[in-house]
Amino acid sequence: KAGVTQTPRYLIKTRGQQVTLSCSPISGHRSVSWYQQTPGQGLQFLFEYFSETQRNKGNFPGRFSGRQFSNSRSEMNVSTLELGDSALYLCASSYGTGLARGTEAFFGQGTRLTVV
Amino acid sequence: QQQVKQSPQSLIVQKGGISIINCAYENTAFDYFPWYQQFPGKGPALLIAIRPDVSEKKEGRFTISFNKSAKQFSLHIMDSQPGDSATYFCAASEGGKSTFGDGTTLTVKP
C-alpha cells in the first residue's frame, strides 16, 4: 500500500513568486491536512480538506490557499512568497473526517521550500 | 498564545532507561491527544494517542498518562533504545484542528 506522496521533495523559489505543492493521499483516504514545519515555530496547522471541502483553517494569511480534487489529491498554493515562508510543508491523510477525529493519520515526507 | 507547552526541549537518556516527555494544554475543548515521532528527513508518524476519558494507555514500550484536571499528559518510553532517538511531538486536537507542542529531541545513548 503506497504511502502519502508529496511532490516535489525540494523547491527553491525567489521572493514574490508563487508555488504549488502537491499531495497524494493513501488510496481510500478522503481527508488531507497541511502543516508548515519550521525550527522556530514548530508544526503549524494550515488547513484540512475532506471530500473537496475545506473543513478547517489555521491562522495563516490569505496568500496560503489549497484545494482538493475528486480523487482526494490536494494542492497547496502560496502566492507572493516571502523569505519567512521557507519551511518544510507536510501533508497528512486519514480515512476519517480529520486528523483529530480518532482515525490514524499518515504524514508524507514533506516538501522542503526555500525562498531566496 | 501557545496552547500546548511541551517539555523538555531535549532529553538524553541511557539505553534501557525511561524517557519522559510532558505536555500541558489550556483549551478544555481539546478531545484527542496524539504523540508523533519524527526522524530526520521523514514526516511525523503517529505513535500513540489518547482521549480525555482515559487516564492511561499503553502500547508496547510506550505509555501515555493523562491528567484531565491538571490539563497535562505525558509520554513514557520504557527500556529506551538508541533506535528511539528522534523528535517527539505532542498534539491536542479539537474539531479537526490540531495544535502541536514544540517538540522534544530525544537522544538515547548506547
Side-chain angles (χ1 to χ4, degrees), chain A residues 20-41:
Chain A
T20 299
L21 311 182
S22 179
C23 173
S24 293
I26 291 171
S27 177
H29 284 193
R30 297 165 66 189
S31 172
V32 173
S33 298
W34 288 89
Y35 293 82
Q36 182 195 64
Q37 186 174 30
T38 59
Q41 298 295 320

Side-chain angles (χ1 to χ4, degrees), chain B residues 74-87:
Chain B
S74 60
L75 175 69
H76 296 233
I77 305 174
M78 311 299 287
D79 187 26
S80 298
Q81 299 297 312
D84 296 331
S85 297
T87 300

Side-chain angles (χ1 to χ4, degrees), chain A residues 35 37 56 100-102 107-109, chain B residues 38 41 43-44 51 93 95-96 100:
Chain A
Y35 293 82
Q37 186 174 30
N56 288 287
R101 290 178 174 82
F107 279 86
Q109 295 200 71
Chain B
Q38 186 176 26
R51 293 204 175 275
S93 302
F100 285 80

Side-chain angles (χ1 to χ4, degrees), chain A residues 36-56:
Chain A
Q36 182 195 64
Q37 186 174 30
T38 59
Q41 298 295 320
L43 267 162
Q44 292 189 289
F45 174 79
L46 279 154
F47 23 67
E48 177 206 1
Y49 286 89
F50 179 79
S51 292
E52 301 179 67
T53 301
Q54 186 180 87
R55 288 293 186 96
N56 288 287

Side-chain angles (χ1 to χ4, degrees), chain B residues 49-85:
Chain B
I50 198 167
R51 293 204 175 275
D53 54 347
V54 177
S55 62
E56 185 176 281
K57 184 174 180 180
K58 183 176 180 180
E59 289 184 1
R61 297 184 294 110
F62 301 91
T63 299
I64 299 179
S65 296
F66 187 84
N67 186 328
K68 189 174 180 178
S69 60
K71 292 187 284 187
Q72 295 175 347
F73 58 110
S74 60
L75 175 69
H76 296 233
I77 305 174
M78 311 299 287
D79 187 26
S80 298
Q81 299 297 312
D84 296 331
S85 297

